[in-house]
Amino acid sequence: MAVFEKAWLNYRVLKELEGCRNDIKVIFSDVKGKCIDNAINELKLAVTDIIGGDEPGICTCVRIVSELSDGIYLKLYNDDDKELNDGFEPGEEGYAVYYDADNRLTVIAADNDRGILYGVFAFIRNLRKGMLPSDIRLTEKPDITFRMLDHWDNMYGDIERGYSGNSFFYDNYRIIIDDRTEFYARMMASIGINAIAINNVNVHQEETLLITDKYLNEVKRINDIFASYGIKLYLSVNYAAPVEMVELEVSDPLDEGVIEWWKKASAHLYDVIPDFGGYLVKADSEGRPGPFTYGRTHADGANMLARTIAQYGGNVIWRCFVYNCRQDWRDRKTDRARAAYDHFIGLDGEFDDNVVLQIKNGPVDFQPREPVSPLFGGLKKTNMFLEVQIAQEYTGQQRHVCYLVPMWKEILDFNTYASDKGTVKEIVSGEAYGNRLCGIAGVTNTGNDINWTGHDLAGANLYGYGRMCFDTALSAEEIAREWITQEFGTDKFINDTVYDIIGNSWLTYEKYTPPLGVGWMVNPSNHYGPNVDGYEYDRWGTYHFADCKGVGVDRTVATGTGYASQYNKPWSDRYEKPETTPDELLLFFHHMDYDYVLDSGKTIIQHIYDTHFEGVEEVERMIDKWKKLEGKINPVIYERTLDRLNEQLESAKEWRDRINTYFYRKSGTEDKKGRTIY
Ligand code: GCV
């Protein structure tokens, strides 16, 4: 038995629901499908563990509606439901929940078993806010079609950029399937995740074999667990798999032998797992093989794979994280930020229908602050996924509190001006171009730590990611407060206190780390902790170019790399000039003198000093607030989180002192407020 905590599914009896303890006697269901048993089990738990009633009876035979009473009724949505719910259409994954007072029944109605399961979780979510079943009335359906999680788990058992222990899918090249697998599927379904890739996009030797008989039966078992929670399974594949397996000498996508190899491999895979989701591919990136080796385009590469799985309903998710990682730091014209756009914009319209391009939120790599990738506003005839990183690689590695939903919301709301439906949200929800295949993928922050996410407060990012994808209209605050209620209960003081700590934590993190959008300044390889010049004279294309006069990367058309021109107007014009570039992105787009005055009225150097002092003070205040929760929340979570907050404070001070000292020495400018800068 694996040992793990139940995170936001830690159901407990609520006194607010005392009055309805005896109201739910039977769960009726006349819906069929893979998810129904799980939906019913979840409701059983809700009745006993949240409402505090006796275990309800279960009735899955078809009953005459008038015979139903005192319970919960799971049913297929019909015209009567539509009339009762103002014409609402649930579609593939939506649901209606309402109370039928005549029969003392809570009705959960949807078009299929997945909709029912989501309806059940929504009903429970509201119960846990203290709402009586008779008061719960919902008509909801997801805004984003694909709500995916990407695991960067390796079969050895480690996780690339994993900060919550090791993998719970693999250990020493063995696949693990246990009660934790099942619980994880349940947790993910409860927040609306419907697709998941279970191995690292950097596919090493052994993982290449996941699509072969060596592992397929176990992969199928995982697939079936996820399928019973409405989640499609994907695998990352190595583009050079035929070569890696020493079966062919090339992996040229136009080579007949290669095409046949993939056709055979895919046919076998779908024979074993008919409802398999498809392939996720990182090609020609950071040493990974790809079509460039053979002078082919990424459309050639992706389409070849896609054609081998189209007939089974499979998809290819193709990442746009393609750039030259062997740059020369002396060369100020080559710009990593340009790379994704430069590689993919010319291929717009050339990808098959079952290919989707997965685009990182920003043009470089999950920094605390980046502009939105210009590809979203550039591609018009291509399916697109937005890729965000729930794992906090550059945002404190789950040792610092950094609630990322506000950042993701800003990205979704960004107007690319590609059309009158030009926000990223409209693009990845399919509203803009009506694409069949579009959505959001998040690199997950889970591992085999007892609490799943290492830092307990990092649970807000995982929960928030799923909820935001399902309902993009929820604000970051609503999502955070909802998570706090599910995790810590209905107490208002706890809710306000935890929210005060996490609500603005992204901006706090930004204050004590790289200034004004310039990024990086981390220790090479592990990407934790400050090292201002850590990547400055290296090959990765991640520079800040600080000298005695100023800092920042000139990405203008007039004098720099020209990156600013990849945006539609008015952004291309605004980013071209410092005066119209938002302060928080100034150093991403421009190399500026330290005495340049920001919109805030401060010089850049004074902004650097001030924000770094403020950032540390804000972490000190977080700790004071957290201490007010002692005795009010689970003591284990209290202590665990306090330890991490203390570490965050030490780390924030180190960031403050290194950055301030660095820029003090470079600029020779005194702090106007006379504080000690070493
Ligand atoms: C999976 C960054 C990370 C890598 C990661 C890569 C990617 O460069 O540091 O660990 O590799 O992004 O997204 O492919």
Side-chain angles (χ1 to χ4, degrees):
M1 289 280 276
V3 181
F4 54 88
E5 293 172 1
K6 293 185 176 170
W8 57 83
L9 295 181
N10 60 358
Y11 296 161
R12 50 198 153 211
V13 175
L14 288 184
K15 63 174 179 329
E16 292 95 322
L17 301 179
E18 240 164 20
C20 60
R21 221 164 247 179
N22 300 317
D23 290 357
I24 299 176
K25 300 200 174 69
V26 187
I27 298 167
F28 303 96
S29 172
D30 54 20
V31 187
K32 300 215 170 342
K34 289 180 182 163
C35 304
I36 288 304
D37 285 350
N38 286 328
I40 292 174
N41 283 339
E42 207 62 44
L43 281 177
K44 267 200 315 204
L45 284 177
V47 174
T48 55
D49 296 5
I50 303 171
I51 298 178
D54 293 336
E55 188 168 312
I58 308 294
C59 176
T60 53
C61 47
V62 179
R63 297 285 298 255
I64 301 161
V65 173
S66 61
E67 289 177 7
L68 304 176
S69 64
D70 288 330
I72 301 178
Y73 180 28
L74 309 181
K75 63 179 285 233
L76 287 179
Y77 197 81
N78 62 20
D79 286 346
D80 293 343
D81 300 306
K82 193 168 163 183
E83 208 177 301
L84 276 171
N85 290 291
D86 300 329
F88 171 75
E89 293 279 7
E92 274 292 292
E93 297 178 306
Y95 48 83
V97 180
Y98 61 90
Y99 190 67
D100 167 359
D102 294 341
N103 289 301
R104 300 182 305 278
L105 264 188
T106 291
V107 177
I108 301 181
D111 275 352
N112 56 43
D113 59 323
R114 283 174 296 133
I116 291 288
L117 183 65
Y118 289 139
V120 164
F121 277 120
F123 170 70
I124 293 175
R125 204 161 37 239
N126 283 283
L127 277 184
R128 299 195 75 207
K129 291 179 190 164
M131 284 180 79
L132 297 173
S134 52
D135 290 341
I136 299 175
R137 184 162 193 126
L138 310 164
T139 44
E140 295 171 339
K141 55 184 172 185
D143 293 325
I144 303 290
T145 312
F146 278 78
R147 306 173 301 278
M148 182 157 187
L149 276 185
D150 290 355
H151 279 259
W152 286 356
D153 295 27
N154 298 316
M155 289 195 77
Y156 178 64
D158 58 324
I159 303 176
E160 181 149 354
R161 311 305 174 193
Y163 310 108
S164 317
N166 281 332
S167 173
F168 46 80
F169 287 120
Y170 315 100
D171 180 31
N172 202 15
Y173 304 108
R174 275 186 319 108
I175 295 185
I176 307 170
I177 304 171
D178 59 17
D179 46 342
R180 188 160 190 154
T181 324
E182 172 93 26
F183 191 86
Y184 183 60
R186 185 179 153 213
M187 257 168 93
M188 294 308 102
S190 77
I191 53 170
I193 298 300
N194 66 358
I196 193 156
I198 56 165
N199 65 308
N200 190 356
V201 287
N202 290 329
V203 184
H204 309 110
Q205 188 87 41
E206 194 64 19
E207 289 99 43
T208 308
L209 304 177
L210 276 169
I211 57 169
T212 71
D213 278 336
K214 182 163 185 193
Y215 295 113
L216 262 190
N217 283 332
E218 284 160 299
V219 172
K220 178 182 166 44
R221 283 177 57 206
I222 298 185
N223 179 82
D224 292 351
I225 292 173
F226 282 127
S228 72
Y229 281 97
I231 301 169
K232 281 263 181 199
L233 186 77
Y234 283 73
L235 288 175
S236 299
V237 292
N238 186 324
Y239 201 75
V243 179
E244 291 281 329
M245 291 187 208
V246 212
E247 292 185 13
L248 296 180
E249 281 174 8
V250 294
S251 54
D252 177 351
L254 301 192
D255 179 280
E256 279 307 319
V258 172
I259 298 171
E260 277 313 306
W261 190 96
W262 277 107
K263 271 192 188 159
K264 216 168 131 203
S266 300
H268 182 58
L269 202 167
Y270 276 90
D271 199 28
V272 180
I273 315 177
D275 54 349
F276 180 69
Y279 300 138
L280 169 62
V281 190
K282 171 177 180 176
D284 290 314
S285 169
E286 299 187 328
R288 296 285 99 199
F292 283 167
T293 317
Y294 304 97
R296 312 299 183 195
T297 70
H298 279 241
D300 295 332
N303 292 342
M304 184 278 286
L305 275 186
R307 285 168 199 167
T308 73
I309 57 176
Q311 61 188 297
Y312 314 110
N315 300 314
V316 166
I317 303 169
W318 191 268
R319 295 178 85 226
C320 293
F321 187 57
V322 179
Y323 71 98
N324 172 6
C325 64
R326 303 206 163 274
Q327 258 181 249
D328 183 341
W329 53 269
R330 286 152 286 226
D331 161 17
R332 287 175 83 144
K333 283 289 172 197
T334 307
D335 183 2
R336 172 170 167 177
R338 292 189 60 114
Y341 187 96
D342 284 345
H343 284 304
F344 286 92
I345 198 69
L347 301 176
D348 194 18
E350 290 188 18
F351 292 94
D352 284 7
D353 286 351
N354 64 329
V355 175
V356 56
L357 295 188
Q358 183 161 303
I359 305 166
K360 283 194 181 184
N361 63 263
V364 282
D365 198 4
F366 302 134
Q367 297 303 295
R369 175 78 71 171
E370 282 185 48
V372 169
S373 168
L375 265 177
F376 290 109
L379 296 170
K380 305 254 166 63
K381 292 173 280 185
T382 302
N383 298 325
M384 285 175 259
F385 275 9
L386 162 69
E387 178 177 331
V388 299
Q389 197 183 38
I390 310 166
Q392 297 169 231
E393 178 176 358
Y394 294 96
T395 47
Q397 304 198 348
Q398 288 143 243
R399 312 211 64 83
H400 296 217
V401 185
C402 188
Y403 176 53
L404 292 168
V405 177
M407 178 208 274
W408 302 331
K409 294 280 298 178
E410 261 186 42
I411 294 159
L412 286 175
D413 289 343
F414 179 80
N415 193 347
T416 67
Y417 295 103
S419 72
D420 56 354
K421 289 199 161 120
T423 63
V424 173
K425 179 163 87 189
E426 286 164 317
I427 291 166
V428 299
S429 67
E431 259 183 89
Y433 308 119
N435 317 39
R436 180 182 76 88
L437 235 188
C438 43
I440 308 185
V443 180
T444 188
N445 63 353
T446 48
N448 71 358
D449 273 358
I450 193 161
N451 63 354
W452 299 90
T453 54
H455 203 310
D456 288 275
L457 300 182
N461 285 331
L462 183 59
Y463 182 93
Y465 168 76
R467 293 287 293 131
M468 174 191 78
C469 293
F470 202 94
D471 186 352
T472 53
L474 290 171
S475 71
E477 175 167 349
E478 283 167 328
I479 292 173
R481 287 190 180 277
E482 184 183 290
W483 170 75
I484 299 166
T485 306
Q486 307 294 314
E487 183 84 30
F488 295 103
T490 50
D491 184 280
K492 185 171 178 323
F493 176 78
I494 295 176
N495 199 295
D496 287 345
T497 309
V498 178
Y499 181 69
D500 270 359
I501 293 168
I502 67 175
N504 279 324
S505 54
W506 166 46
L507 299 182
T508 298
Y509 186 82
E510 184 183 29
K511 281 186 177 176
Y512 60 79
T513 54
L516 300 167
V518 74
W520 313 95
M521 301 189 173
V522 287
N523 280 305
S525 299
N526 72 13
H527 298 169
Y528 186 72
N531 187 342
V532 183
D533 282 340
Y535 273 116
E536 198 55 17
Y537 307 102
D538 212 328
R539 64 181 172 94
W540 294 94
T542 52
Y543 315 118
H544 55 69
F545 300 120
D547 56 28
C548 62
K549 293 207 195 71
V551 54
V553 189
D554 184 353
R555 293 191 158 109
T556 64
V557 177
T559 51
T561 69
Y563 167 79
S565 71
Q566 293 184 339
Y567 289 87
N568 298 317
K569 282 182 190 303
W571 290 117
S572 50
D573 293 339
R574 287 194 199 156
Y575 291 149
E576 183 66 16
K577 299 196 194 67
E579 314 84 81
T580 46
T581 301
D583 276 356
E584 67 274 10
L585 287 172
L586 187 65
L587 300 182
F588 188 92
F589 283 99
H590 304 276
H591 186 87
M592 302 300 298
D593 289 351
Y594 295 117
D595 58 4
Y596 177 84
V597 179
L598 298 166
D599 290 344
S600 66
K602 288 183 183 173
T603 60
I604 286 179
I605 190 70
Q606 193 58 40
H607 170 92
I608 292 176
Y609 296 152
D610 285 353
T611 50
H612 285 77
F613 282 108
E614 280 163 26
V616 170
E617 285 154 18
E618 286 173 17
V619 178
E620 281 165 347
R621 284 201 290 278
M622 283 179 184
I623 295 177
D624 292 343
K625 286 176 194 156
W626 186 256
K627 286 185 173 159
K628 300 210 162 78
L629 295 175
E630 189 171 12
K632 294 192 165 57
I633 60 168
N634 176 334
V636 176
I637 296 182
Y638 175 80
E639 288 299 337
R640 239 175 6 211
T641 305
L642 186 60
D643 282 353
R644 301 244 165 169
L645 285 167
N646 284 329
E647 177 179 341
Q648 178 172 2
L649 180 60
E650 287 318 300
S651 178
K653 285 179 184 164
E654 195 188 349
W655 272 99
R656 174 195 65 193
D657 293 341
R658 285 199 184 227
I659 291 208
N660 281 351
T661 301
Y662 181 95
F663 285 105
Y664 174 61
R665 290 187 188 168
K666 283 265 175 201
S667 69
T669 308
E670 295 295 336
D671 171 33
K672 283 209 169 103
K673 298 184 182 160
R675 292 162 292 200
T676 309
I677 296 178
Y678 299 91

